[in-house]
Amino acid sequence: MTRVYPQFVVAKFGGTSVADFYSMNRSAGIVLADDHVRLVVLSASAGVTNLLVELSEGLESHDRMDKIDTLRAIQHTIISRLKSPSIIGKEIDQLFENITRLAEMASTTPSSALSDDLVSHGELMSSLIFAEVLREREARAEWFDARKVIRTNNLYGCAEPHLSQIETLAQAHLRPRLEQAIVITQGFIGSDENGQTTTLGRGGSDYTASLLGEALHAARVDIWTDVAGIYTTDPRVVPQARRIDHISFSEASNMAAFGAKVLHPATLLPAMRKNIPVFVGSSKNTAAGGTLVRRETENPPQYRAIAVRRKQTLLKLHSLHARPAYAFFADIFAILAEHKVEVDLVTTSERGIAMALNGTGCTSGDDDTLTTALLTALSSHCQVEIETGLALVTVIGNQLTGSPGVCRDAFMDSEEDCVRMIFHGASNDNLCFLLPENTADSAVIALHRRLFE
């Protein structure tokens, strides 16, 4: 008799949670411990995506085969621990034939579309192996190709989802399967209207889980990673960082947008739209608990967390002509729009504009925002200055613009830091500043000590 699951959970496992056989088996135990988990979204095994990105950028034959051999060793080391490795081994070997072919193509004619096709193989392999791990534990598990339902545009490397199509396709092709088996699928990848593989950007598996949770009206989305929840800042930088047991969607979304790596920046948007709670915990230690992200929390604090976004670029533009500021600004932002440059932080003066550009997020290894065509177009209107090697430090809280003393608290211990730019006021709930990347950690340590310790 088919069991109906009106209230089911989507569980997503990150790369470290499926890094090897032991990790996969532990993650399988988490899935089987909760009858409500019916859909599992997987990242590639740890280290695999980076190797595939390197292959997609084009390598000489010897280096190319070294990378492929390393990839093969990662996957076959896991497969060798299965009771019946030959079955899944043949499917993985077929995927390696694709990887080899695409990597050869990338060495002569690289493209963003080819890169997405190549990089997608990490999730395809991990999900195939994980489904077999579950079957060997006598679970009814079914593998499903996420590209059948995650429909996107063709902005390869950072594709944007088509929400209405995803919901229609998920309800038609994915929902019925949840009643029959635990469904294992891939995060991070999708397809455009022509069936070409796309990717959602680095860390996009979280986003996939949330998109599918929204489309299928899940009761909760669980994000299993290598840390036991969301912390006041990165515990690897500040060991004294404290876990936040309950946090609002807006606070967590702010943290993700400004560099907190525990969640993909877009993850919470689908959950917010359908008011689906998101749990973040460690697959290595489920007993440690985690963080529950929900619409509201009781008594939100003035200061919630500190986030860091590295690999930032400062672009400064100075007008060459004595023109009204509004005309200069209009010309500059028209050029930026034409070249599809997303600018999230801006300051202006009478004849100048300064903006922070984010060099992280897309699948490809290098940020290609500042193209020759863009710089040529800008240079006809203004003097262009570019400064790289910066980090954006963000203090995240609640109603910061209406609270006295915020700037004092933020900058009291930064007299030795060369702050390049400050952003405050556009948002009620954060204060951001740019500084050299090599001073970011010390600034965060001092700031955390003042605000949270």
Side-chain angles (χ1 to χ4, degrees):
M1 181 178 178
T2 301
R3 183 175 175 182
V4 179
Y5 294 89
Q7 297 291 316
F8 74 95
V9 172
V10 178
K12 176 264 174 180
F13 292 90
T16 56
S17 299
V18 291
D20 49 39
F21 180 80
Y22 177 75
S23 299
M24 281 200 175
N25 212 34
R26 185 173 54 208
S27 297
I30 294 173
V31 172
L32 297 177
D34 186 349
D35 285 343
H36 291 98
V37 175
R38 305 302 297 168
L39 179 61
V40 179
V41 176
L42 294 186
S43 297
S45 297
V48 167
T49 297
N50 288 338
L51 289 166
L52 290 169
V53 168
E54 291 182 56
L55 288 170
S56 73
E57 293 169 350
L59 297 174
E60 296 295 329
S61 178
H62 177 73
D63 291 337
R64 188 167 65 242
M65 294 314 299
D66 278 349
K67 301 294 183 188
I68 293 174
D69 287 344
T70 302
L71 283 169
R72 200 186 305 272
I74 292 172
Q75 306 294 208
H76 277 279
T77 299
I78 302 173
I79 294 169
S80 66
R81 298 287 305 278
L82 294 170
K83 298 172 185 174
S84 302
S86 60
I87 299 174
I88 197 67
K90 292 178 181 178
E91 294 187 65
I92 298 300
D93 286 339
Q94 287 178 350
L95 291 177
F96 270 106
E97 291 179 11
N98 288 343
I99 290 171
T100 302
R101 175 179 57 82
L102 292 169
E104 289 175 356
M105 292 172 60
S107 67
T108 57
T109 54
S111 70
S112 54
L114 187 152
S115 176
D116 275 10
D117 196 359
L118 180 52
V119 173
S120 71
H121 283 70
E123 278 69 21
L124 294 173
M125 290 189 291
S126 66
S127 57
L128 281 166
I129 297 171
F130 190 79
E132 191 63 24
V133 170
L134 281 173
R135 292 188 195 107
E136 289 198 350
R137 295 183 60 160
E138 300 182 352
R140 295 182 64 184
E142 179 179 339
W143 184 85
F144 183 82
D145 192 334
R147 293 171 294 186
K148 293 181 179 179
V149 298
I150 300 296
R151 193 70 76 237
T152 73
N153 64 9
N154 61 359
L155 186 61
Y156 302 111
C158 286
E160 299 171 355
H162 295 315
L163 302 180
S164 60
Q165 293 184 46
I166 291 173
E167 179 160 11
T168 299
L169 292 169
Q171 289 289 345
H173 302 295
L174 190 50
R175 179 70 201 219
R177 298 170 186 264
L178 303 183
E179 314 294 347
Q180 307 296 327
I182 300 170
V183 176
I184 314 302
T185 195
Q186 309 79 40
F188 179 57
I189 68 175
S191 64
D192 63 21
E193 60 182 6
N194 296 317
Q196 175 69 45
T197 298
T198 59
T199 64
L200 302 176
R202 285 300 190 124
S205 293
D206 293 349
Y207 194 17
T208 301
S210 189
L211 286 168
L212 291 175
E214 176 187 33
L216 296 166
H217 311 290
R220 194 178 70 243
V221 174
D222 291 348
I223 306 292
W224 294 101
T225 179
D226 55 357
V227 292
I230 300 173
Y231 284 72
T232 47
T233 197
D234 189 341
R236 292 168 295 187
V237 175
V238 183
Q240 294 80 13
R242 302 196 304 267
R243 188 177 70 207
I244 305 167
D245 291 335
H246 298 91
I247 189 170
S248 70
F249 282 133
S250 61
E251 291 170 323
S253 183
N254 249 328
M255 290 184 66
F258 287 106
K261 296 186 181 301
V262 70
L263 289 174
H264 182 279
T267 297
L268 296 173
L269 297 178
M272 290 168 69
R273 288 192 291 261
K274 289 287 176 67
N275 194 24
I276 302 171
V278 176
F279 175 80
V280 181
S282 171
S283 64
K284 297 178 180 179
N285 184 10
T286 57
T291 299
L292 185 66
V293 189
R294 55 192 184 188
R295 177 163 289 173
E296 295 178 352
T297 60
E298 295 181 3
N299 302 315
Q302 180 180 9
Y303 298 117
R304 178 61 90 181
I306 304 166
V308 181
R309 203 166 68 187
R310 304 177 195 274
K311 295 184 180 179
Q312 304 297 287
T313 298
L314 175 59
L315 181 65
K316 298 176 72 174
L317 309 175
H318 305 276
S319 178
L320 295 174
H321 312 289
R323 304 177 60 207
Y326 65 81
F328 172 59
F329 295 162
D331 288 343
I332 295 303
F333 283 102
I335 293 171
L336 295 173
E338 180 183 350
H339 290 266
K340 297 181 171 58
V341 177
E342 292 192 10
V343 180
D344 56 352
L345 297 169
V346 180
T347 63
T348 65
S349 64
E350 184 178 355
R351 297 184 61 187
I353 302 174
M355 57 190 75
L357 303 179
N358 184 16
T360 64
C362 290
T363 301
S364 57
D366 298 319
D367 175 38
D368 57 358
T369 301
L370 297 177
T371 61
T372 301
L374 169 63
L375 295 177
T376 300
L378 290 172
S379 296
S380 65
H381 292 270
C382 57
Q383 176 186 341
V384 179
E385 294 182 34
I386 301 170
E387 185 176 346
T388 59
L390 301 174
L392 184 74
V393 176
T394 303
V395 177
I396 294 154
N398 293 278
Q399 299 300 318
L400 297 185
T401 54
S403 303
V406 170
C407 290
R408 177 202 62 210
D409 291 345
F411 298 113
M412 179 172 286
D413 297 321
S414 62
E415 63 271 10
E416 296 182 3
D417 297 322
C418 182
V419 176
R420 304 294 297 111
M421 194 157 56
I422 299 171
F423 309 89
H424 187 44
S427 167
N428 288 330
D429 302 322
N430 60 59
L431 182 154
C432 314
F433 55 96
L434 270 179
L435 72 173
E437 191 167 356
N438 60 5
T439 67
D441 285 358
S442 61
V444 169
I445 290 169
L447 193 54
H448 191 276
R449 182 168 56 241
R450 176 162 183 80
L451 300 184
F452 296 104
E453 299 171 39

